[in-house]
Amino acid sequence: MSIKINGTGASNGIAVAKVYILDEQPIVIPDNKASDIEAELANVNASIEKAKTDLENLQVIAREKLGEEKAAIFEAHASILQDPAMAEEFTALIKDNNYNGAKAISEVANKYIEMFGAMDDDYFKERAADVKDVTERLIRYVLKLPVADLATISEEVIIVAEDLTPSQTAQLNPKFAKGFACNVGGRTSHAAIMARSLEIPAVLGLKTILSSVKENDVLAIDGATGEVEINPENKDVWNKKAEEFKAEKALLEEFRNKSTVTKDGYDKFILEGNIGSPKDVAGVLENGGEGVGLFRSEFLYMDNDHFPTEEEQFAAYKQVVQDMGGKLTVIRTLDIGGDKKLSYFAFPEEMNPFLGYRAIRFTMDRKDIFKDQIRALLRASAFGPVGIMFPMIATVDEFKAAKQFTLDCKAELEKEGVAVGADLEIGMMVEIPAAAVNAENFAKHADFFSVGTNDLIQYTMAADRMSENVSYLYQPYNPSILRLLKMTIDGAHKHGKWAGMCGEMAGEPDAIPLLMGLGLDAYSMSATSILKARSIMAKLTLAETQELANKALECETTEQVLELVHNLMSTK
Ligand code: PEP
Ligand code: MG
């Protein structure tokens, strides 16, 4: 029987495929004694073999997809499984103390994790994360819990999960992962952002999808409207939707190689792409991107088992800058913390991690780590125009200190005889209301602003961007947000600086007329939104967007603002 559920369309496109249920039940270690020691040992040994086979497979896939270096991670994991000392310890607990297998492994693993984790050495801290990863897989097998490996999927599926972490999303191969549908999340969650850069449809915030599907069900998803149908009754309806999606894409084709010009000939707006890795540059260029407005450098850190070295980072940044062929590349410094964690670094536990030790607050506190990144960025700037952008800036002093640190690193490089680009710009994200309100003062020091609406909205409305329960407060079109945008853009212009936006709002068709009217200069979005944005700009004159923005700033509610936008666009 077919079941229809509605969620939030998070990445456009239509997909129909078998479900792949990623149901990672939490591990609960049982406390019972082993009743049959031999059977317990046999189960543990069989589980070790299964985990070993997984790791061998993962190694082969990682070698093909990600290169030799990443594949070595799985080799290291396999060697943990083969470590005789550890195996001896948990076997002894089972034999001598009647421990059940899961408890024995967990106790020994925890001892090693604590021991490595406490060492003041990054190498050993990484080993702690490795032991945790491997032994969790092993315990899942011992307890007969499902073990998911997204990288090993080798047939066309739609992934159904509670949530997908950024690193899980990064494992997906778009050839087989045709889309995903999750219980939680919205348009600005990182799973959504990754889906758009992989160009696969996604519907999030479905709340009950995981409990509604079962093995072998077929799922149809519409990543624009958020509609999902389990075991679709009428496949023709979905085929028609897929064709319509294709037709709309074809219509936008004519904008691929056109420049960005408004109906009345204004040609200074710039449409750029957001990327998470050097391989995303191709999508930006294919979609007619005029620059990279946001390179989220944290993916270099998250998709890794150690803090990337200066050389590793330099190679990645240089590649992006070179591939962009003279177009501006804005690279954001490490924005970690909040929902973005590192497997090899333990952040302090905090009540409100989104308001805590993250992004610039972390990097300026750990200049040893920050320096590698800044040096790599400065070196890459010798290969083309680069903007270095600091995330989560709240105070002018914070920006000035980060800028000074960058200039000190630059002086150091120059003293070493290392080239640094002449076109370097140093700017900041405006994603904390304090920065928007005080934009005029920041603009005296920053070369540019880029508004991070994903965070700016959550902090302004005090509404967690990941929470389904308060998603009604996530209102990009609320006049309070528009007023903050106006202050930011006017503040930049007053001091001759440019203002961009790299939050998801920049690519929203309803937002573009308003942003044009407010005078936003650069619009950075998922590569797949660029052509649509260009087509919208081509339909509008500056004067009519300015009139729209002025009226919108006087509105009381989101609904009133959207009505103004829809009224204008319905005449186009
Ligand atoms: C933002 O906050 O709008 C932004 C672009 O940064 P992120 O989504 O990575 O937090
Ligand atoms: Mg942000």
Side-chain angles (χ1 to χ4, degrees):
M1 201 189 67
S2 109
I3 303 173
K4 290 184 181 167
I5 311 181
N6 270 306
T8 307
S11 175
N12 289 355
I14 308 291
V16 181
K18 217 174 87 173
V19 295
Y20 177 99
I21 303 172
L22 177 69
D23 193 2
E24 294 226 290
Q25 298 162 28
I27 297 178
V28 181
I29 304 286
D31 210 24
N32 62 297
K33 294 268 177 210
S35 53
D36 179 345
I37 304 249
E38 286 313 312
E40 206 67 38
L41 288 172
N43 182 28
V44 168
N45 287 333
S47 302
I48 293 179
E49 287 311 311
K50 281 186 203 153
K52 247 198 251 170
T53 312
D54 278 0
L55 292 171
E56 277 159 16
N57 289 339
L58 276 172
Q59 209 179 322
V60 173
I61 292 166
R63 190 173 292 128
E64 275 171 22
K65 235 181 96 186
L66 307 164
E68 199 56 54
E69 201 186 329
K70 296 270 161 59
I73 299 170
F74 297 111
E75 200 177 322
H77 283 193
S79 70
I80 294 171
L81 271 181
Q82 281 152 354
D83 183 69
M86 221 162 93
E88 239 168 61
E89 283 183 55
F90 55 71
T91 309
L93 284 177
I94 299 170
K95 275 189 183 157
D96 305 339
N97 296 13
N98 271 42
Y99 270 46
N100 69 62
K103 191 170 176 200
I105 297 167
S106 145
E107 204 160 294
V108 175
N110 285 342
K111 190 184 90 182
Y112 281 91
I113 294 167
E114 265 172 38
M115 184 179 82
F116 287 143
M119 290 186 188
D120 199 16
D121 180 313
D122 285 347
Y123 175 83
F124 284 107
K125 285 202 196 312
E126 284 161 26
R127 297 291 76 77
D130 289 342
V131 173
K132 185 163 183 290
D133 224 9
V134 174
T135 50
E136 272 187 14
R137 176 186 296 274
L138 184 54
I139 293 170
R140 281 186 182 279
Y141 276 123
V142 170
L143 294 175
K144 315 251 180 299
L145 293 174
V147 178
D149 271 320
L150 297 176
T152 55
I153 293 174
S154 55
E155 58 173 338
E156 292 194 355
V157 292
I158 293 175
I159 290 145
V160 177
E162 176 65 22
D163 188 17
L164 283 175
T165 64
S167 63
Q168 282 172 329
T169 323
Q171 287 180 38
L172 297 177
N173 181 347
K175 196 166 140 210
F176 300 118
K178 289 291 153 198
F180 54 84
C182 297
N183 276 357
V184 305
R187 276 195 72 76
T188 60
S189 56
H190 287 96
I193 292 164
M194 290 291 282
R196 288 195 287 275
S197 83
L198 289 167
E199 295 193 26
I200 57 178
V203 179
L204 305 180
L206 283 156
K207 294 188 178 134
T208 56
I209 186 74
L210 197 53
S211 55
S212 309
V213 292
K214 54 188 184 323
E215 208 103 355
N216 294 322
D217 277 348
V218 168
L219 200 63
I221 65 173
D222 181 335
T225 62
E227 288 165 89
V228 165
E229 189 173 357
I230 305 170
N231 297 324
E233 212 167 287
N234 189 343
K235 287 246 175 74
D236 287 348
V237 174
W238 285 95
N239 289 340
K240 193 161 158 260
K241 272 173 175 277
E243 269 162 34
E244 280 167 6
F245 179 72
K246 253 169 86 184
E248 195 193 334
K249 258 182 111 169
L251 265 184
L252 293 176
E253 268 313 300
E254 62 164 306
F255 290 94
R256 195 173 292 273
N257 296 312
K258 277 196 177 161
S259 44
T260 306
V261 197
T262 63
K263 193 175 168 194
D264 53 339
Y266 182 76
D267 61 1
K268 300 281 184 293
F269 292 136
I270 292 179
L271 299 178
E272 308 165 310
N274 291 347
I275 64 169
S277 100
K279 63 182 184 336
D280 298 338
V281 169
V284 174
L285 293 174
E286 271 163 31
N287 284 288
E290 298 161 276
V292 164
L294 169 65
F295 178 0
R296 288 185 164 91
S297 69
E298 60 269 19
F299 286 103
L300 284 181
Y301 289 73
M302 290 194 295
D303 199 14
N304 221 323
D305 65 348
H306 60 275
F307 279 105
T309 62
E310 180 184 325
E311 287 312 313
E312 286 167 338
Q313 295 191 59
F314 170 61
Y317 304 145
K318 177 181 160 197
Q319 192 184 330
V320 172
V321 173
Q322 280 183 327
D323 291 351
M324 286 308 293
K327 296 181 170 123
L328 177 65
T329 303
V330 176
I331 306 175
R332 177 171 75 185
T333 63
L334 180 59
D335 184 5
I336 206 74
D339 64 332
K340 295 179 244 180
K341 297 280 181 336
L342 299 174
S343 61
Y344 48 89
F345 182 85
F347 281 87
E349 290 286 327
E350 292 176 302
M351 290 286 281
N352 291 299
F354 269 104
L355 303 181
Y357 186 60
R358 56 172 298 199
I360 198 72
R361 303 163 185 190
F362 167 71
T363 49
M364 283 301 279
D365 186 44
R366 289 297 307 263
K367 295 210 184 74
D368 51 329
I369 294 168
F370 202 24
K371 191 169 181 182
D372 287 339
Q373 176 166 47
I374 297 293
R375 283 176 60 97
L377 289 168
L378 290 165
R379 285 169 59 194
S381 74
F383 296 85
V386 164
I388 295 182
M389 174 159 77
F390 304 122
M392 300 292 298
I393 294 286
T395 69
V396 172
D397 284 341
E398 219 172 13
F399 178 79
K400 281 168 71 181
K403 180 173 172 180
Q404 190 55 50
F405 181 66
T406 307
L407 295 176
D408 291 345
C409 291
K410 183 168 173 253
E412 189 180 271
L413 281 168
E414 281 163 350
K415 213 163 135 199
E416 290 168 24
V418 180
V420 174
D423 296 331
L424 180 73
E425 295 186 66
I426 302 178
M428 58 181 266
M429 301 271 306
V430 175
E431 52 187 343
I432 295 180
V437 172
N438 201 14
E440 198 187 314
N441 282 318
F442 281 98
K444 294 173 192 159
H445 309 278
D447 293 329
F448 64 89
F449 291 154
S450 185
V451 186
T453 46
N454 306 345
D455 280 317
L456 183 66
I457 298 167
Q458 84 163 341
Y459 295 132
T460 305
M461 308 300 283
D464 184 339
R465 68 196 252 192
M466 301 294 288
S467 166
E468 281 318 303
N469 306 321
V470 295
S471 61
Y472 71 97
L473 282 170
Y474 204 86
Q475 299 183 7
Y477 304 98
N478 190 291
S480 55
I481 302 295
L482 301 183
R483 288 176 183 220
L484 288 176
L485 295 179
K486 182 170 168 52
M487 282 190 217
T488 307
I489 297 165
D490 289 352
H493 290 172
K494 183 163 179 200
H495 294 280
K497 309 296 171 65
W498 58 268
M501 178 182 287
C502 60
E504 291 307 306
M505 187 178 181
E508 296 290 344
D510 283 340
I512 289 167
L514 290 164
L515 300 174
M516 291 167 71
L518 289 170
L520 187 79
D521 303 292
Y523 302 66
S524 193
M525 58 195 75
S526 306
T528 46
S529 302
I530 293 174
L531 297 183
K532 178 87 181 175
R534 186 168 290 149
S535 75
I536 293 170
M537 287 186 169
K539 290 181 190 159
L540 295 162
T541 64
L542 272 190
E544 62 192 354
T545 61
Q546 283 159 358
E547 192 189 326
L548 169 77
N550 287 337
K551 280 191 196 155
L553 286 165
E554 295 307 318
C555 285
E556 290 180 13
T557 65
T558 292
E559 290 71 25
Q560 290 168 355
V561 171
L562 281 173
E563 196 184 332
L564 290 175
V565 176
H566 294 159
N567 284 345
L568 173 64
M569 293 315 285
S570 66
T571 64
K572 300 293 154 190

